[in-house]
Amino acid sequence: MTHSTGSVSACLPIHSDLDLVRVRQHVRQMTAHLGFGLVEQTKLVTAASELARNALVHGGGGQMECAPVTTGGIRGLRLVFSDQGPGIADLEQALSDGYTSGEGLGMGLGGARRLVHEFSIDSRRGVGTTVAVTSWISGPPRPREAH
Ligand SMILES: Nc1ncnc2c1ncn2[C@@H]1O[C@H](COP(=O)(O)OP(=O)(O)OP(=O)(O)O)[C@@H](O)[C@H]1O
Ligand SMILES: [Mg+2]
């Protein structure tokens, strides 16, 4: 079971390009603080950047909740991006590389999924979109070995 450690949770608005910069900075700082290696820091920052940009561009703005979590003594960071935009009609299509409804490359959502250890998306037409991602310091937690 995953527990939120609660101590340094934060909620950041996503309504402007400057907010995107703040989201990247915050995720960089939190991952560094938790002890993520540089490569793992960059992966989560890149995923956060893409998901925040989607919330801004496609969702009309939203927010990112950021919370340190632990499971079995392993530390991780969980990020939840949410917006109250138009939602995504076809999730499979949206996640496939190269699909864009606008003028992007269509790489953001699928790319973000590959950069994190856990990824879930919930989207409803006319209600909005929520994307939750978690990465762990030393890879995804493995079930405890039998003795
Ligand atoms: N938060 C969101 N709200 C509504 N639609 C979204 C949201 N996020 C993604 N989508 C839809 O999924 C599609 C694919 O997203 P993805 O991030 O992969 O590509 P993109 O944003 O179009 O281009 P880029 O490569 O620049 O990110 C988008 O074009 C959009 O139609
Ligand atoms: Mg995108």
Side-chain angles (χ1 to χ4, degrees):
M1 192 180 176
T2 299
H3 302 279
S4 169
T5 61
S7 53
V8 258
S9 301
C11 183
L12 279 71
I14 302 171
H15 293 293
S16 67
D17 285 344
L18 185 57
D19 288 340
L20 297 184
V21 174
R22 293 197 182 106
V23 160
R24 282 194 287 270
Q25 284 174 345
H26 187 79
V27 176
R28 173 71 70 183
Q29 279 168 10
M30 286 302 298
T31 50
H33 173 76
L34 288 169
F36 280 65
L38 260 186
V39 172
E40 289 300 324
Q41 287 180 30
T42 303
K43 285 183 183 177
L44 195 55
V45 170
T46 304
S49 181
E50 290 299 329
L51 297 174
R53 202 155 56 84
N54 281 351
L56 179 65
V57 172
H58 304 297
Q63 62 180 38
M64 177 188 76
E65 289 160 76
C66 174
V69 288
T70 61
T71 187
I74 300 170
R75 281 176 294 174
L77 194 63
R78 175 176 159 86
L79 309 173
V80 182
F81 300 84
S82 53
D83 65 62
Q84 280 78 52
I88 301 173
D90 186 336
L91 277 180
E92 206 178 316
Q93 181 187 51
L95 281 160
S96 63
D97 288 344
Y99 173 78
T100 178
S101 61
E103 286 160 14
L105 291 174
M107 298 298 289
L109 210 48
R113 179 163 66 168
R114 287 190 292 271
L115 287 168
V116 299
H117 296 138
E118 293 168 25
F119 180 99
S120 69
I121 182 163
D122 180 26
S123 188
R124 286 175 217 170
R125 292 289 274 171
V127 178
T129 300
T130 300
V131 186
V133 302
T134 304
S135 282
W136 305 95
I137 287 184
S138 48
R142 276 170 290 187
R144 218 172 275 176
E145 282 168 34
H147 291 290

